[in-house]
Amino acid sequence: MSTRRPAGPAVEERAGQPYVGVRRTVTMDTFAVAGDRLPEIIGWLAERGAAPAGPPFFRYRVIDMAGELEVEAGVPVAAPQPVGGGDGGDGGTAGTGGIGAELFNGTLPAGRYAVLTHRGHPDELIEVTAGLLDWAAGRGLEWDMAETAAGQRWGCRLESYLTDPRVEPDMSRWEVELAFRLAR
């Protein structure tokens, strides 16, 4: 029996999830400075014998598509990891040396999320995201999001990469889950 969720939008309740991540301020043209960190984070965890507790993700904190985005590249973990001293955001701690110097522990917040799984090239995600936003608006759902001078500040807006690119290099066959937290 498959436990796989249908690709169409749905609302689901989620528990909080610890993760290890890095945060960057990027533009759409410089997004790779955040995205390229995911393999490093996974490698850092593997060196310490800590397996990911879910797929790697991008968490969009602040979005101004014409300007800057505050984004995190993260990997879910079973429990916070010893990443060293210093504040890394969300009350987490940053490590020292290499990728460890940039890492922090965070927690994806519990709550109700609008969720959609997309199969296709990540370049299609802007259109897919617009569809999810429209779907929620058509149902009167409200986001955990506030408009600010810097852009939209989200409580939790995720892109989780369900496909391992080492197993499936054809990006047109990748599965990406969008999960956007709803306001209560």
Side-chain angles (χ1 to χ4, degrees), residues 112-150:
R112 289 176 53 236
Y113 285 77
V115 179
L116 172 66
T117 301
H118 168 67
R119 183 175 182 158
H121 199 286
D123 286 348
E124 299 167 352
L125 288 173
I126 290 176
E127 182 178 326
V128 172
T129 297
L132 179 59
L133 296 171
D134 289 346
W135 175 86
R139 284 156 182 75
L141 300 173
E142 294 182 27
W143 302 114
D144 177 11
M145 184 271 296
E147 295 286 349
T148 71

Side-chain angles (χ1 to χ4, degrees), residues 5 7-15 17 55-61 63 108-118 125 128-129 132-133 135-136 143-144 154-162 175-183:
R5 168 181 342 120
V11 174
E12 64 182 44
E13 190 75 27
R14 292 187 169 195
Q17 173 65 60
F57 62 84
F58 297 117
R59 180 178 183 183
Y60 294 85
R61 293 288 199 154
I63 299 173
L108 299 175
R112 289 176 53 236
Y113 285 77
V115 179
L116 172 66
T117 301
H118 168 67
L125 288 173
V128 172
T129 297
L132 179 59
L133 296 171
W135 175 86
W143 302 114
D144 177 11
W154 286 79
C156 195
R157 179 170 163 166
L158 300 175
E159 280 178 16
S160 296
Y161 285 77
L162 308 179
E175 288 190 347
V176 179
E177 178 189 77
L178 302 179
F180 300 176
R181 190 170 135 166
L182 298 166

Side-chain angles (χ1 to χ4, degrees), residues 118-122 124 163 168-175:
H118 168 67
R119 183 175 182 158
H121 199 286
E124 299 167 352
T163 303
E168 178 54 75
D170 181 353
M171 294 173 80
S172 69
R173 298 180 64 164
W174 284 10
E175 288 190 347

Side-chain angles (χ1 to χ4, degrees), residues 32-54:
V33 300
D36 291 348
R37 304 321 296 259
L38 286 173
E40 292 178 75
I41 297 168
I42 293 167
W44 184 89
L45 288 168
E47 288 171 5
R48 285 148 185 81

Side-chain angles (χ1 to χ4, degrees), residues 16 22 30 40 84 99 102 119 121 130 133 166:
V22 296
T30 64
E40 292 178 75
I99 184 75
E102 303 173 55
R119 183 175 182 158
H121 199 286
L133 296 171
R166 296 170 300 180

